[in-house]
Each structure stands twice: as structure tokens, then as C-alpha cells.
């Protein structure tokens, strides 16, 4: 008997973490190329996380969407460290590649720089509103087009509360004979005369 490996949580975790790393690339490029962070880049973090969850054949339910949201918030917090490092590089006229080293050094000294990274991101109410709005748009896009959250069994097939037996399809995918007056407009009719 073959076991279906799709939907395992270790695949969801691995895909989410790798997606988090790849999702930080647009924000990092924005800071490196333009010298500032454009909040529009935050849309890509949850989208890329959900894309990697799907590519790794992880669980595509609502808990995965919640996991992607939590990872997105962590990724946004990491960009605070990156912005602080980019400000130091520009202030002291260091080479651009020092941004990555300074980011990791600040993350290592989390107790000293953690609150400063949060102040960098959430220093203004409007910044927080923009960040959360872009994050919500990214999560909604991911839910609709990438993950397609599982719906309850009665509503997922579009049968409006009728069971599969009433329509004519059995559990194993075979067809069942029904009278002509019981046919629905989207039923498949097979003529076996």
C-alpha cells in the first residue's frame, strides 16, 4: 500500500522556512539598491512562503496560512535589523557587503538590538498600518491563488448540501444510475445502449 506523502508537517515547516529566506530577498534588494525599504516588498514575503509550502507539498490548510502569517511577521522583524545595518553602512561609508555581516552580528546580540529593530519598524502608527495592510494583502493573495484552503466536504464540491450518493457519484468514483428527472445541469450522461 502506498502512503500519500503530501501534507506532512515537516514539509510545511521546511517549505515555510526556505520561503522565509527567499521572501526576504525583495526587501533586501530594495534597501541595497535604493537605500530605503519600500513597504510594497512586504507583500512578497507571505506569497513566497506559501509558494514554497506548496512546492514542498506541505499541508495547504488554514493552519499553514496561519504559519505563513507568523513567519511573515518574523521576516518583517528581520528586515528591521537589515535596515539598521544598512543605515550604519551608509553613515560610516562601509562597503555594501558589510550589510549582511552587520545584520547577523546584530541578530546575534538580540538583547541589545532587538528593541531598536522594533522601533525602526514600528516607530510610527502609519508604518504599522502600512506593514499590516501589505501583509494582509499578501496573505489573502496566497490563500486564494496559492494554497486554496480546504473547505468542508459538503461545500467543496459545490453540491449545495446534497451528498454524492444523491447526485449519482459513489465514494470510489464510479457512476450510479439515476432517473432523468433527477439529473442536474452539470451531470455527465453516459449513453450505454
Amino acid at each position: 500500500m502506498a502512503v500519500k506523502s503530501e501534507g506532512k508537517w515537516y514539509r510545511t515547516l521546511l517549505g515555510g522556512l526556505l520561503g522565509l529566506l527567499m521572501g526576504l530577498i525583495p526587501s533586501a534588494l530594495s534597501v541595497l539598491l535604493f537605500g530605503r525599504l519600500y513597504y510594497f516588498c512586504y507583500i512578497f514575503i507571505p506569497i513566497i512562503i506559501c509558494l514554497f509550502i506548496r512546492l514542498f507539498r506541505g499541508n495547504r490548510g488554514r493552519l499553514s496560512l496561519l504559519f505563513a502569517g507568523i513567519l511573515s511577521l518574523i521576516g518583517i522583524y528581520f528586515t528591521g535589523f537589515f535596515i539598521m545595518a544598512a543605515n550604519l553602512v551608509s553613515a560610516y561609508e562601509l562597503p555594501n557587503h558589510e550589510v549582511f555581516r552587520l545584520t547577523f552580528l546584530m541578530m546575534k546580540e538580540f538583547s541589545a538590538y532587538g528593541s531598536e529593530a522594533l522601533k525602526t519598524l514600528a516607530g510610527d502608527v502609519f508604518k504599522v498600518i502600512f506593514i499590516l495592510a501589505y501583509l494582509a494583502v499578501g496573505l489573502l493573495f496566497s490563500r486564494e491563488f496559492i494554497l486554496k484552503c480546504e473547505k468542508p466536504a459538503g461545500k467543496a464540491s459545490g453540491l449545495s448540501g446534497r451528498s454524492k450518493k444523491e447526485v449519482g457519484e459513489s465514494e470510489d468514483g464510479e457512476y450510479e444510475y439515476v432517473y432523468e428527472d433527477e439529473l442536474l445541469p452539470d451531470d455527465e450522461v453516459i449513453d450505454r445502449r
Side-chain angles (χ1 to χ4, degrees):
M1 176 195 295
V3 177
K4 187 177 179 183
S5 63
E6 188 170 327
K8 299 287 185 183
W9 280 105
Y10 70 89
R11 291 175 178 254
T12 304
L13 183 66
L14 185 63
L17 291 175
L18 190 59
L20 173 63
L21 293 176
M22 299 305 284
L24 292 175
I25 291 175
S27 301
L29 286 177
S30 168
V31 172
L32 286 176
L33 295 177
F34 303 113
R36 61 177 294 196
L37 176 69
Y38 291 102
Y39 294 119
F40 181 78
C41 296
Y42 285 146
I43 288 178
F44 297 111
I45 295 174
I47 291 174
I48 295 174
I49 289 172
C50 291
L51 183 66
F52 271 83
I53 288 173
R54 184 171 180 161
L55 287 175
F56 276 71
R57 294 185 181 147
N59 190 349
R60 293 178 9 191
R62 290 192 175 127
L63 287 177
S64 294
L65 193 65
L66 178 66
F67 177 63
I70 292 169
L71 281 180
S72 299
L73 287 174
I74 292 170
I76 289 170
Y77 189 60
F78 286 161
T79 60
F81 289 106
F82 196 78
I83 292 169
M84 287 176 27
N87 290 340
L88 286 174
V89 165
S90 67
Y92 293 107
E93 298 177 0
L94 297 171
N96 283 340
H97 67 275
E98 289 292 320
V99 172
F100 299 107
R101 189 174 71 84
L102 285 175
T103 301
F104 290 118
L105 287 174
M106 286 183 195
M107 291 166 96
K108 184 179 173 185
E109 297 292 329
F110 183 80
S111 60
Y113 296 106
S115 61
E116 290 295 323
L118 189 61
K119 287 179 187 175
T120 303
L121 291 173
D124 188 11
V125 175
F126 294 111
K127 286 182 180 181
V128 174
I129 291 172
F130 281 122
I131 289 170
L132 292 178
Y134 284 126
L135 181 66
V137 168
L139 284 172
L140 288 174
F141 179 84
S142 299
R143 182 186 69 140
E144 287 297 318
F145 296 108
I146 298 173
L147 288 183
K148 286 284 188 185
C149 290
E150 312 261 333
K151 295 181 182 175
K155 296 179 183 176
S157 59
L159 298 178
S160 66
R162 294 176 61 181
S163 69
K164 288 184 177 183
K165 279 225 185 250
E166 290 176 358
V167 173
E169 185 179 319
S170 64
E171 286 82 18
D172 56 353
E174 296 179 359
Y175 294 97
E176 182 178 65
Y177 291 103
V178 294
Y179 293 107
E180 282 186 19
D181 58 344
E182 294 177 345
L183 287 175
L184 295 174
D186 58 341
D187 285 344
E188 182 181 349
V189 178
I190 300 174
D191 190 15
R192 292 191 181 180
R193 292 183 192 174

